[in-house]
Amino acid sequence: MNGSNVSRVLEKFVRLRTHGNVDRKLVKRLLDVIVECYERLGPPLTHPVELNVYERSEGPGFFASHDALHGKPRIKIYLDRVSALPWKVVIGGVRRQAAHSILHGSIEYYRVSFPVELRRAMENYGLPERFAVQILYGASMAVKEYNVTRLLVDGGFVDDQLAYSKYMLEPTAEELRAWQIAKSNPLARIIYLVMTIRDIFCAVPLLEDSKLRGEIERCFEKRIKHLSANYESTVRGIVNEVVQRFTEDVFQNIDILTNAIVKYIIKKELTSQ
């Protein structure tokens, strides 16, 4: 893309705000990644994206994020977290935020109603609303991450999405410790399994590439091998069943996944309690 095209896309689709003493060259590289995404895949869904680039993050978290909670798409990038990662992973992650703004850049995608089965589970098991919100958040993110990967792969961004997916599916020491803590508490187990499913869904569209399928399947197995056999089977079963039932409707897919989580995880974990 030539310089005039970059400037035109930036002016039309991106409102950049920097916070702290940011590395201008690095910001420029990140902007190029985002601009290339809009140039190839289309503009943000509703409004120009508000791109906030921070010198430093505060507390734990991801290196980049997207939301539209205020009615407009907003991307946040933390340069101190970016600097600790392989560049291809960074490209993949930043591209994903741009893709979110294209697909999910309006507030309706961040205010999802409770599916009927989840409400019924709240009533039957006395689940606190804050717990149900975590379940719905995990299911919503899984579906949206799936959509983002599909859009990017269909647009030709395969290598960086493979790198990003492998990064997400590599279990961290923190995640392994979290499971050791969670497995003694049914509610904590449920949340952990839902967030594991969320992470896996970002890589699911890559299974459609026969050249990548074996590699991604091995990453899946590595991601869940610390779980006991019954939980490994549960996660695999949900992923395999739900993907076959997905439609083109994001909200219907959220319902499908949430209902599967209620059926195969929540009911099994809490019926005997």
Side-chain angles (χ1 to χ4, degrees):
M1 193 187 309
N2 61 44
S4 62
N5 284 344
V6 170
S7 297
R8 187 182 70 251
V9 173
L10 277 174
E11 181 178 351
K12 192 171 183 180
F13 299 137
V14 181
R15 303 291 182 265
L16 175 64
R17 296 180 179 178
T18 60
H19 307 265
N21 185 24
V22 301
D23 181 334
R24 297 291 172 178
K25 289 184 179 179
L26 180 53
V27 172
K28 173 61 167 59
R29 293 177 73 190
L30 295 170
L31 279 171
D32 287 345
V33 171
I34 292 171
V35 166
E36 182 184 20
C37 201
Y38 291 143
E39 183 77 3
R40 189 181 299 187
L41 303 179
L45 181 62
T46 53
H47 302 273
V49 66
E50 179 185 299
L51 175 61
N52 290 275
V53 181
Y54 298 84
E55 177 190 6
R56 295 190 177 280
S57 54
E58 294 183 1
F62 207 57
F63 70 89
S65 66
H66 170 272
D67 71 71
L69 292 171
H70 299 287
K72 297 180 181 180
R74 177 175 60 179
I75 294 174
K76 295 181 181 179
I77 302 175
Y78 302 95
L79 297 187
D80 57 333
R81 295 175 186 166
V82 164
S83 62
L85 295 170
W87 183 241
K88 191 169 283 189
V89 172
V90 173
I91 293 174
V94 169
R95 229 167 231 152
R96 296 184 72 79
Q97 311 319 314
H100 272 300
S101 73
I102 294 169
L103 292 173
H104 312 126
S106 67
I107 197 167
E108 64 184 297
Y109 292 99
Y110 294 85
R111 291 183 176 174
V112 181
S113 300
F114 282 110
V116 173
E117 290 301 317
L118 184 55
R119 284 201 175 277
R120 187 172 290 126
M122 292 169 68
E123 295 170 1
N124 291 344
Y125 303 107
L127 298 179
E129 184 171 332
R130 58 179 176 76
F131 176 83
V133 167
Q134 287 181 279
I135 298 296
L136 182 56
Y137 169 79
S140 299
M141 284 303 301
V143 170
K144 289 187 284 188
E145 291 295 311
Y146 173 90
N147 289 347
V148 159
T149 303
R150 179 173 291 284
L151 177 68
L152 290 167
V153 169
D154 287 349
F157 297 119
V158 178
D159 288 347
D160 57 271
Q161 292 312 302
L162 175 61
Y164 177 87
S165 294
K166 290 170 69 175
Y167 165 75
M168 289 299 297
L169 293 176
E170 181 71 29
T172 66
E174 287 183 358
E175 287 167 339
L176 298 178
R177 285 195 298 270
W179 175 246
Q180 292 304 311
I181 296 169
K183 66 183 183 180
S184 63
N185 181 299
L187 294 183
R189 285 197 301 269
I190 292 168
I191 294 297
Y192 187 96
L193 293 171
V194 170
M195 296 312 168
T196 298
I197 290 168
R198 175 201 63 188
D199 291 346
I200 288 173
F201 262 87
C202 77
V204 168
L206 292 167
L207 291 170
E208 297 174 12
D209 188 326
S210 59
K211 296 178 182 178
L212 302 178
R213 186 176 183 87
E215 185 174 7
I216 293 299
E217 287 178 340
R218 288 190 293 273
C219 289
F220 281 2
E221 293 304 311
K222 188 174 184 180
R223 180 68 179 83
I224 62 175
K225 72 176 183 178
H226 62 285
L227 304 175
S228 55
N230 60 317
Y231 289 123
E232 286 188 39
S233 178
T234 295
V235 170
R236 284 195 210 97
I238 288 175
V239 172
N240 291 334
E241 176 185 317
V242 165
V243 169
Q244 298 301 318
R245 297 172 57 201
F246 269 179
T247 69
E248 296 301 314
D249 186 304
V250 174
F251 301 102
Q252 185 175 354
N253 291 345
I254 292 171
D255 281 358
I256 291 170
L257 178 54
T258 304
N259 291 343
I261 290 167
V262 171
K263 179 179 180 180
Y264 296 114
I265 298 179
I266 294 178
K267 287 184 177 179
K268 288 186 177 180
E269 289 296 307
L270 300 181
T271 296
S272 60
Q273 298 299 311

